[in-house]
Amino acid sequence: MITGSFDETAPIFDSWHITRQIGRGALGRVYEIERVEFGTTYKAALKVISIPESEEDIKHVLFNGVAKEDLRSYYSNLMKNVVSELQYLGRLKGHSNIMSYEDHEIIEREEGIGWDVLIKTELLQPLVEYSIDNRLDETAIVRLGIDICKALEFCGSMGIVHRDIKPENIFISPGGDYKLGDFGIARIVEETQSGLSRKGTYTYMAPEVFRGEAYGASADIYSLGLIMYQYLNHGRIPFMPPYPRKILYDDVEKAMAMRVSGKNMVPPAQGSGRLRNIVLKACTYERSSRYLTATEMREDLEELYLKQYIKKNRKNKKAKKGKNPGRGYALQTTVHGIDDTVSQVVAKENVQKSEQRSDTDKTSESSKTETRRGSRKAIIAASVIAVIAATAAAVYAMIPKEVEDISGVNNHIKLYYDGSKQLEYQVEPDWFKDEPVIFESSDKKVFTVSDEGLITATGQGEATLQMHARGYTEDASVAVVPKVTEIGNIDKAYELETGDTKQLKPSLKPEKFSSEPLTYKSSDKSVAKISKKGKITAVSEGSATIRISAGGTSIRTKITVKEPVVETYTYTPTVNTYRTYSNSSRSSGKSSRSGSSGGSGKKKSGGYFKSSDDQYF
C-alpha cells in the first residue's frame, strides 16, 4: 500500500502555501502556491511528482521482471537519476526563454517505498490555455519559433536534448516571451517507471525517437516544427482531414502512422510561403534534410520576422503620409553637388591662368599657354566625367533592384459560396508598379483565380492564394463559407407508395439568402424521381436518397417506396362471411379474415367479388 507523505495543507519550503491545483498530468500535479511577506504576495508554481505514482505502477514494474525484493533498489536508482536531472535544472536557470527553476525538495514516504519530488518554478500561463482564447497570428507563431529556438540553443550548449517538446511544455510570461519548461524529470520517471514500455502522447515525437533509434538536437527541432505546423493548420497536425471536415476517432492514429512512415507532408493551410517552407524543413522526415541546429532555424525565422516588421512599418507610414520625399531630396542634393564641383574646378583654373600670364612674354609664352590650356581642359573634363560617373553610380544604387511587397490585398479573404472578388493590389516599390503578377490557388476545389486576379469560389473550405512578382511571393488565405446555414422544413425520411407524389417545400436561413436557388438530386431515379421544383414521384419499390442543396449547404432525406396494398374479397353464402386477401398476403400464402353480417363488400382497387361456386356477378 502506498502512503504519501505530501500534505497539501502544510507549509512548503517553510513559508509557501498551496492556493489551488492548476494542472494534472500522467506523472504529477501542478499547484499555484503563494507567500505573503510584509503585505506583499508572491506567487509561484509547484510541481509534485510521486515515485511511484500508484500501486498500478508497482504492478507494472513487477510484471516487467523486477523481483519484489529488488523494488527498493530499483526505485532508489531511479531517484538518483532524478537528482541528477535536478542539477540540470539549476544550470538552465536564468535564461529568458526557459522556465525558471527556483527550488526543490524530496520527501521520502513514511511507509512503504516511494518519494514525493517537489519542484518550485516561476508561475506562467500554459500555451495551450492561452491559445484557446487568443488566436496566434503569423507574427506570434514566428516569435514562438524564435523563442523556443533560443531555448534549444542554450540547451545544446549544455549538451541537453529536451525530447518532449509539445504545447503543454511551452509557457508564456507576462511580458509575452515564450518559455520552454518541464525538463527531463517527468521523462526520466516515465521511461524507468513504466518498465520498457512507452507511455504518453507521441503526437510531436520525431520518427527516429518513435522507432527507438539514436537521436540528437534535430529531434527537438522536428517537434517544434510540428507545433508551428499545427497552429498554421487550424489546430490540426499533418495528415489529419483538412478543415472544415469532421475528425473521426481513428484519424489521429492514421495521421501518426503516415507521419512516422515517411509520407511527404503537404504545407499547412495558412501562413506565408516563406514561413511554411521553414516549418516543412524543420519537420522533414529525413534528419539530414532538416535544420541541423536550432541556430539555423532561428536565423531564418528572424530574417522573416524582420521583413514582416519592415513591411508593416512601411504600410503604416504610407497610411500617414502619401509619398516619401526623401528619395527626391537626396537626388537633388547630389545634382547640386555636381554643379558646385565643376564651378570650383573652372574658377581655380581661371585664377591660375591669369597669374601665370606675363605682358612682356606674351609672344614667347603663347605656345606654352595654349599647351597648358589644352591640359587644363582635359583635367576639367576628366573631373566632370568622374563626378558624373560617381553621381550616376549613386543614383543607380538608389534604384530598387527587387520587388519588396504586393500591397493592398487582405491577407484573410472571405467569400460566400459561388461568389467572386476582383483583387486590387499594388506592386512596390513604385519602380515595379507595372510588373506582372502571377496568381495561383493551392486548391482549385475551394477557389480559382484568373490571370487578372479574379477569385471565384468553387467549394467550401480554406486554401491559399499565392501572388508572385519578380521573385517575390505574397500569400493570403481564402475562406469560402456557405450562404445558407440551414435548410429546414424537411423530414429525415418519407414513405410513399408507387405512383404517389410528394411536394417538398424547404425553408432557407438566414433570411437574406432565403431566395437562393434550390437543386434536387435523387440517388436512384428508378425508385424515386424528383423535379427541378422539388416534386417527388414514387416509381417503384425500394429506397433512394434525395439531396437538397442551396447556397453551399446540403441536406438529405430518405425516400422509401412500397407497393400499394390491394385487397380482394371472396363471399361464401353458406357462412355469410367475406374472406379478404391482400396482394402482399397472397404472395406469402397467408390470409386475413374480416366479417360483415349481412353486408356487401366494397370493391378495392384491383380486387373482385367471387361466389362459392366460382361464378362472377
Side-chain angles (χ1 to χ4, degrees), residues 92 95-98 142-158 160 177-180 183 221 224 293-299 301-302 305:
L92 293 171
H95 193 279
S96 59
N97 297 117
I98 293 178
V142 171
R143 283 199 58 195
L144 164 65
I146 292 172
D147 286 355
I148 301 304
C149 278
K150 289 179 180 178
L152 295 178
E153 285 181 86
F154 189 66
C155 291
S157 68
M158 300 288 184
I160 298 173
D177 292 324
Y178 295 90
K179 296 196 175 193
L180 186 58
F183 281 81
I221 294 172
L224 173 59
T293 65
T295 302
E296 292 180 10
M297 184 175 177
R298 173 182 57 79
E299 288 174 348
L301 288 169
E302 286 179 337
Y305 186 82

Coordinates of all heavy atoms in Angstrom, one line a residue, residues 92 95-98 142-158 160 177-180 183 221 224 293-299 301-302 305:
L92 N 20.2 25.4 -16.0 CA 19.4 26.1 -17.0 C 18.8 27.4 -16.5 O 18.2 28.2 -17.2 CB 18.4 25.2 -17.5 CG 18.8 24.0 -18.4 CD1 17.7 23.1 -18.6 CD2 19.5 24.4 -19.7
H95 N 17.8 31.7 -18.0 CA 17.6 32.0 -19.4 C 16.2 32.6 -19.7 O 15.2 32.0 -19.1 CB 17.8 30.8 -20.3 CG 17.9 31.1 -21.7 ND1 16.8 31.3 -22.6 CD2 19.0 31.2 -22.5 CE1 17.3 31.5 -23.8 NE2 18.6 31.5 -23.8
S96 N 16.1 33.6 -20.5 CA 14.8 34.3 -20.6 C 13.7 33.4 -21.4 O 12.5 33.8 -21.3 CB 15.0 35.6 -21.4 OG 15.5 35.4 -22.7
N97 N 14.1 32.4 -22.0 CA 13.2 31.5 -22.8 C 13.1 30.1 -22.2 O 12.6 29.2 -22.8 CB 13.6 31.4 -24.2 CG 13.5 32.8 -24.9 OD1 14.5 33.3 -25.4 ND2 12.3 33.4 -24.9
I98 N 13.5 30.0 -20.9 CA 13.4 28.7 -20.2 C 12.7 29.0 -18.9 O 13.1 29.9 -18.2 CB 14.8 28.0 -20.0 CG1 15.3 27.6 -21.4 CG2 14.6 26.8 -19.1 CD1 16.7 27.0 -21.3
V142 N 5.8 33.1 -35.5 CA 7.2 33.3 -35.8 C 8.0 33.6 -34.5 O 9.1 33.0 -34.2 CB 7.4 34.4 -36.8 CG1 8.9 34.8 -36.9 CG2 6.9 34.0 -38.2
R143 N 7.4 34.4 -33.6 CA 8.0 34.7 -32.4 C 8.1 33.5 -31.5 O 9.1 33.3 -30.8 CB 7.3 35.8 -31.6 CG 7.5 37.2 -32.2 CD 7.1 38.2 -31.1 NE 7.8 38.1 -29.9 CZ 7.4 38.6 -28.7 NH1 6.3 39.4 -28.7 NH2 8.1 38.4 -27.6
L144 N 7.1 32.6 -31.5 CA 7.1 31.4 -30.8 C 8.3 30.5 -31.2 O 9.1 30.0 -30.4 CB 5.8 30.6 -31.0 CG 5.8 29.1 -30.6 CD1 6.0 29.0 -29.1 CD2 4.5 28.5 -31.1
G145 N 8.5 30.4 -32.5 CA 9.6 29.6 -33.1 C 10.9 30.2 -32.7 O 11.9 29.5 -32.3
I146 N 11.1 31.5 -32.8 CA 12.4 32.2 -32.4 C 12.7 31.9 -30.9 O 13.8 31.5 -30.6 CB 12.3 33.7 -32.7 CG1 12.2 33.9 -34.2 CG2 13.5 34.4 -32.1 CD1 12.0 35.4 -34.6
D147 N 11.7 32.1 -30.1 CA 12.0 32.0 -28.6 C 12.4 30.6 -28.2 O 13.3 30.3 -27.4 CB 10.8 32.5 -27.8 CG 10.6 34.0 -27.8 OD1 11.5 34.7 -28.3 OD2 9.6 34.5 -27.3
I148 N 11.6 29.6 -28.8 CA 11.9 28.2 -28.4 C 13.3 27.8 -29.0 O 14.0 27.0 -28.5 CB 10.8 27.3 -28.8 CG1 9.5 27.7 -28.1 CG2 11.1 25.8 -28.5 CD1 9.6 27.8 -26.6
C149 N 13.6 28.3 -30.2 CA 14.9 28.0 -30.8 C 16.0 28.5 -29.9 O 17.1 27.9 -29.7 CB 15.0 28.7 -32.2 SG 14.3 27.7 -33.5
K150 N 15.8 29.7 -29.3 CA 16.8 30.2 -28.4 C 17.0 29.3 -27.2 O 18.1 29.1 -26.7 CB 16.4 31.7 -27.9 CG 16.5 32.7 -29.0 CD 16.1 34.1 -28.5 CE 16.2 35.2 -29.5 NZ 15.7 36.5 -29.0
A151 N 15.8 28.8 -26.7 CA 15.9 27.9 -25.5 C 16.7 26.6 -25.9 O 17.5 26.1 -25.2 CB 14.5 27.5 -25.1
L152 N 16.4 26.1 -27.1 CA 17.1 24.9 -27.6 C 18.6 25.1 -27.8 O 19.4 24.2 -27.6 CB 16.4 24.4 -28.9 CG 15.0 23.9 -28.7 CD1 14.4 23.4 -30.1 CD2 14.9 22.7 -27.7
E153 N 18.9 26.3 -28.3 CA 20.3 26.7 -28.4 C 21.0 26.6 -27.1 O 22.2 26.1 -27.0 CB 20.5 28.1 -29.0 CG 20.1 28.2 -30.5 CD 20.3 29.6 -31.0 OE1 21.5 30.0 -31.4 OE2 19.3 30.4 -31.0
F154 N 20.4 27.2 -26.1 CA 21.0 27.2 -24.7 C 21.1 25.7 -24.2 O 22.1 25.4 -23.6 CB 20.2 28.0 -23.8 CG 20.8 28.3 -22.4 CD1 22.0 29.0 -22.3 CD2 20.3 27.7 -21.3 CE1 22.6 29.2 -21.1 CE2 20.9 27.9 -20.0 CZ 22.0 28.7 -20.0
C155 N 20.1 24.9 -24.5 CA 20.1 23.5 -24.0 C 21.3 22.8 -24.8 O 22.0 22.0 -24.2 CB 18.8 22.8 -24.4 SG 17.4 23.4 -23.4
G156 N 21.4 23.1 -26.0 CA 22.5 22.5 -26.8 C 23.9 22.8 -26.2 O 24.8 22.0 -26.2
S157 N 24.0 24.1 -25.8 CA 25.3 24.4 -25.2 C 25.6 23.7 -23.9 O 26.8 23.5 -23.5 CB 25.4 25.9 -24.9 OG 24.5 26.3 -23.9
M158 N 24.6 23.1 -23.3 CA 24.7 22.3 -22.1 C 24.7 20.8 -22.4 O 24.8 20.0 -21.5 CB 23.6 22.6 -21.1 CG 23.5 24.1 -20.6 SD 24.8 24.4 -19.5 CE 24.4 26.1 -19.1
I160 N 22.1 19.2 -23.7 CA 20.8 18.7 -23.3 C 19.9 18.6 -24.5 O 19.8 19.6 -25.2 CB 20.2 19.6 -22.2 CG1 21.0 19.6 -20.9 CG2 18.8 19.1 -21.8 CD1 20.6 20.6 -19.9
D177 N 7.0 36.7 -23.6 CA 8.1 35.7 -24.0 C 7.6 34.3 -23.9 O 6.9 33.9 -23.0 CB 9.3 35.9 -23.1 CG 10.0 37.2 -23.3 OD1 10.0 37.7 -24.5 OD2 10.6 37.7 -22.3
Y178 N 7.9 33.5 -24.9 CA 7.6 32.1 -24.9 C 8.7 31.3 -24.2 O 9.9 31.6 -24.5 CB 7.4 31.5 -26.3 CG 6.2 32.2 -27.0 CD1 6.4 33.3 -27.8 CD2 5.0 31.6 -26.9 CE1 5.3 33.9 -28.4 CE2 3.9 32.2 -27.5 CZ 4.0 33.3 -28.3 OH 3.0 33.9 -28.9
K179 N 8.4 30.4 -23.3 CA 9.4 29.7 -22.5 C 9.2 28.2 -22.5 O 8.0 27.7 -22.6 CB 9.3 30.2 -21.0 CG 9.7 31.7 -20.8 CD 10.0 32.0 -19.4 CE 10.5 33.4 -19.2 NZ 11.0 33.6 -17.9
L180 N 10.3 27.5 -22.5 CA 10.2 26.1 -22.6 C 10.4 25.5 -21.1 O 11.2 26.0 -20.4 CB 11.4 25.5 -23.4 CG 11.5 24.0 -23.7 CD1 10.2 23.5 -24.3 CD2 12.7 23.7 -24.5
F183 N 11.6 20.0 -18.0 CA 12.8 19.3 -18.5 C 12.9 18.0 -17.8 O 12.8 17.9 -16.5 CB 14.0 20.2 -18.3 CG 14.2 21.3 -19.3 CD1 13.5 22.4 -19.2 CD2 15.0 21.1 -20.4 CE1 13.6 23.4 -20.1 CE2 15.2 22.1 -21.3 CZ 14.5 23.2 -21.2
I221 N 14.0 20.0 -32.9 CA 13.6 20.9 -33.9 C 12.4 20.4 -34.7 O 11.5 21.1 -35.0 CB 14.8 21.1 -34.9 CG1 15.9 21.8 -34.2 CG2 14.4 21.9 -36.1 CD1 17.2 21.9 -34.9
L224 N 9.3 21.0 -32.6 CA 8.9 22.5 -32.7 C 8.2 22.8 -34.0 O 7.2 23.5 -34.1 CB 10.2 23.3 -32.5 CG 10.0 24.8 -32.7 CD1 8.9 25.4 -31.8 CD2 11.3 25.6 -32.5
T293 N 20.8 22.6 -36.7 CA 20.9 23.2 -35.4 C 19.7 24.2 -35.2 O 19.1 24.7 -36.2 CB 22.2 24.0 -35.2 OG1 22.2 25.1 -36.2 CG2 23.4 23.1 -35.5
A294 N 19.4 24.5 -34.0 CA 18.4 25.5 -33.7 C 18.8 26.9 -34.1 O 17.9 27.7 -34.4 CB 18.1 25.5 -32.2
T295 N 20.1 27.1 -34.2 CA 20.6 28.4 -34.6 C 20.2 28.7 -36.1 O 19.7 29.8 -36.4 CB 22.1 28.5 -34.5 OG1 22.4 28.3 -33.1 CG2 22.6 29.9 -34.9
E296 N 20.3 27.7 -36.9 CA 19.9 27.8 -38.4 C 18.5 28.2 -38.5 O 18.1 29.1 -39.3 CB 20.2 26.6 -39.1 CG 21.7 26.2 -39.3 CD 21.9 24.9 -40.0 OE1 20.9 24.4 -40.6 OE2 23.0 24.4 -40.1
M297 N 17.6 27.5 -37.8 CA 16.2 27.7 -37.8 C 15.9 29.1 -37.3 O 15.1 29.9 -37.9 CB 15.4 26.7 -37.1 CG 13.9 26.8 -37.2 SD 13.1 25.4 -36.4 CE 11.3 25.9 -36.6
R298 N 16.5 29.5 -36.2 CA 16.2 30.8 -35.6 C 16.6 31.9 -36.6 O 15.9 32.9 -36.7 CB 17.0 31.0 -34.3 CG 16.9 32.4 -33.7 CD 17.7 32.6 -32.4 NE 19.1 32.2 -32.6 CZ 20.0 33.1 -33.2 NH1 19.6 34.2 -33.6 NH2 21.3 32.7 -33.3
E299 N 17.7 31.8 -37.2 CA 18.2 32.9 -38.2 C 17.2 33.0 -39.3 O 16.9 34.2 -39.7 CB 19.6 32.5 -38.7 CG 20.7 32.7 -37.6 CD 22.0 32.2 -38.1 OE1 22.1 31.6 -39.2 OE2 23.0 32.5 -37.4
L301 N 14.0 32.3 -39.2 CA 12.8 33.0 -38.6 C 13.0 34.4 -38.3 O 12.1 35.3 -38.5 CB 12.4 32.2 -37.3 CG 11.8 30.8 -37.5 CD1 11.7 30.1 -36.2 CD2 10.4 30.9 -38.2
E302 N 14.2 34.8 -37.8 CA 14.4 36.2 -37.5 C 14.5 37.0 -38.8 O 14.0 38.2 -38.8 CB 15.8 36.3 -36.8 CG 15.6 35.9 -35.3 CD 17.0 36.0 -34.6 OE1 18.0 36.0 -35.2 OE2 16.9 36.0 -33.3
Y305 N 10.9 37.5 -39.7 CA 10.3 38.5 -38.7 C 10.7 39.9 -39.0 O 9.9 40.8 -39.0 CB 10.8 38.1 -37.3 CG 10.1 38.9 -36.2 CD1 8.8 38.6 -35.7 CD2 10.7 40.0 -35.6 CE1 8.2 39.3 -34.7 CE2 10.1 40.8 -34.7 CZ 8.8 40.4 -34.2 OH 8.2 41.1 -33.2

